[in-house]
Amino acid sequence: MLPRGLWPWRARLLPTPGTWGPARPWPLPPPPQVLYVKLCGNVKYYQSHHYSTVVPPDEITVNYRHGLPLVTLTLPSRKERCQFVVKPMLSTVGSFLQDLQNEDKGIKTATIFTADGNKISASTLMDILLMNDFKLVINKIAYDVQCPKREKPSNEHTAEMEHMKSLVHRLFTILHLEESQKKREHHLLEKIDHLKEQLQPLEQVKAGIAAHSEAKTSGLLWAGLALLSIQGGALAWLTWWVYSWDIMEPVTYFITFANSMVFFAYFLVTRQDYTYSAVKSRQFLQFFHKKSKQQHFDVEQYNKLKEDLAKAKESLKQVRHSLYLQMQVEELNEKN
């Protein structure tokens, strides 16, 4: 028998079974001890933790309580277990990570990856994230998160959920309609002012180019009138002073036929009827685009800004019309 000081564990004195003789040492079995080693993250950040419980305190768990996911994890700075309630249809991955950093200022970086190692964007809904297992990396330490499998809802339950979502959306729209319309009106006014500021220098350049093109177009029309006058005078002079009508009659016929061929050729090239207004507009645009290239005036950008301004004004008109109708309804309700 070993001396008492060398016993490997604490012993208690019990009498020998069946006798009333002196007590002898009865060894007690060693207490149960469970060794849990958690290795995660980068190799140089691996840490070994010894716990006396089966579930490690730094494990991240996902449970459902009252239909809402409950994420439980250990805060790295305070070493405290903290629970986060997630709203699957409203919360996103970015908002969840921001909540973690707001709760523990010691969290410098937090990222979520899929089980395959692909990074998940911050705009992903938590409802989609919790469908599969994922990895949560906090301060370069990775934690494997296992999500409980959810039963696939039936078609009736899905239809009821869609109806409930639609009803909530309608209620929210009714309660916040006026506020949202005022915000939209303010946003449209700011957008219109910004577009007008961008258009102001372009309008000045465009006005100069348009004036120059209009002057050249008008000069070209007056030149055409002068040529027709000269043609008529020459035919009259040849008919009454040089030749007779019997000689000039076929000449005028062929001149008229040649003019008809010119007009038909114009239609084949431009696919437009030969009218004086169409000819003037076409010639004006030719002069305008030619002058725009010389002065480096971006016609496409100008047209896009004008379209955006027109759409913004139309949207503002609709919003104000809706607000006006709502004010009339409120006045009628007050009178009644």
Side-chain angles (χ1 to χ4, degrees):
M1 180 180 297
L2 293 174
R4 180 172 297 181
L6 297 180
W7 288 353
W9 49 75
R10 189 180 60 182
R12 57 179 177 174
L13 298 178
L14 293 175
T16 305
T19 64
W20 293 97
R24 63 181 181 84
W26 187 272
L28 290 177
Q33 184 178 10
V34 178
L35 177 63
Y36 183 88
V37 181
K38 185 176 183 64
L39 298 178
C40 51
N42 202 330
V43 176
K44 63 180 181 179
Y45 296 103
Y46 280 170
Q47 299 178 356
S48 297
H49 304 280
H50 300 267
Y51 302 113
S52 60
T53 56
V54 177
V55 179
D58 63 342
E59 184 181 6
I60 300 177
T61 60
V62 179
N63 299 317
Y64 283 85
R65 183 177 298 174
H66 304 296
L68 292 177
L70 192 66
V71 182
T72 306
L73 54 86
T74 302
L75 300 177
S77 297
R78 304 198 298 263
K79 301 300 180 181
E80 297 175 353
R81 299 287 286 176
C82 186
Q83 294 180 343
F84 294 87
V85 179
V86 179
K87 298 179 180 179
M89 301 305 297
L90 299 178
S91 302
T92 60
V93 171
S95 62
F96 173 69
L97 297 178
Q98 187 64 38
D99 292 340
L100 293 179
Q101 294 178 342
N102 293 336
E103 184 66 27
D104 189 353
K105 300 301 181 181
I107 300 178
K108 302 301 180 182
T109 59
T111 316
I112 294 180
F113 295 87
T114 61
D116 300 334
N118 298 321
K119 185 177 180 180
I120 298 179
S121 63
S123 60
T124 304
L125 291 175
M126 291 296 295
D127 186 41
I128 299 176
L129 175 68
L130 296 175
M131 290 181 178
N132 301 306
D133 299 340
F134 61 92
K135 293 182 180 180
L136 176 59
V137 181
I138 300 177
N139 293 341
K140 298 182 180 180
I141 299 178
Y143 302 90
D144 292 329
V145 182
Q146 295 182 355
C147 300
K149 300 300 181 181
R150 291 179 291 176
E151 296 181 358
K152 187 177 180 181
S154 61
N155 295 332
E156 296 180 357
H157 184 265
T158 304
E160 291 179 358
M161 288 296 296
E162 293 295 333
H163 178 71
M164 183 64 67
K165 291 177 184 178
S166 177
L167 181 60
V168 171
H169 178 71
R170 291 177 184 176
L171 290 175
F172 180 83
T173 303
I174 293 173
L175 294 175
H176 299 81
L177 179 60
E178 184 177 0
E179 181 182 357
S180 63
Q181 285 181 343
K182 288 183 178 179
K183 288 182 180 180
R184 179 168 175 77
E185 181 184 10
H186 181 69
H187 173 71
L188 289 173
L189 288 174
E190 291 181 350
K191 183 178 180 180
I192 290 173
D193 293 338
H194 180 66
L195 291 174
K196 287 182 177 179
E197 290 178 0
Q198 290 182 315
L199 281 171
Q200 185 176 2
L202 297 178
E203 289 285 359
Q204 296 177 357
V205 178
K206 183 248 180 184
I209 297 175
H212 180 267
S213 302
E214 183 68 25
K216 292 193 69 173
T217 304
S218 299
L220 187 62
L221 293 177
W222 283 105
L225 177 62
L227 289 176
L228 290 176
S229 301
I230 292 172
Q231 180 184 352
L235 291 176
W237 178 69
L238 291 175
T239 301
W240 283 290
W241 280 277
V242 179
Y243 303 109
S244 63
W245 174 247
D246 295 335
I247 297 176
M248 294 302 298
E249 183 179 6
V251 175
T252 56
Y253 171 78
F254 283 109
I255 290 176
T256 304
F257 183 75
N259 290 334
S260 300
M261 291 180 63
V262 170
F263 298 153
F264 187 69
Y266 176 84
F267 173 78
L268 292 178
V269 173
T270 62
R271 299 299 178 180
Q272 294 179 351
D273 294 334
Y274 186 86
T275 58
Y276 296 121
S277 60
V279 172
K280 179 183 177 181
S281 300
R282 183 178 181 82
Q283 196 61 44
F284 172 82
L285 291 176
Q286 287 182 354
F287 288 136
F288 184 86
H289 285 279
K290 184 177 180 180
K291 190 67 174 179
S292 299
K293 291 181 179 179
Q294 294 177 357
Q295 296 190 4
H296 304 287
F297 178 76
D298 194 349
V299 179
E300 293 182 359
Q301 181 184 3
Y302 175 81
N303 292 334
K304 185 178 183 304
L305 291 175
K306 291 290 286 185
E307 291 177 0
D308 293 343
L309 182 61
K311 291 180 181 179
K313 288 183 176 180
E314 182 65 24
S315 300
L316 180 63
K317 182 180 178 182
Q318 294 177 359
V319 170
R320 286 181 171 175
H321 181 67
S322 179
L323 288 173
Y324 176 73
L325 292 178
Q326 188 173 358
M327 291 175 61
Q328 285 186 338
V329 171
E330 292 178 356
E331 291 178 357
L332 290 175
N333 292 333
E334 290 177 359
K335 291 179 179 179
N336 293 334

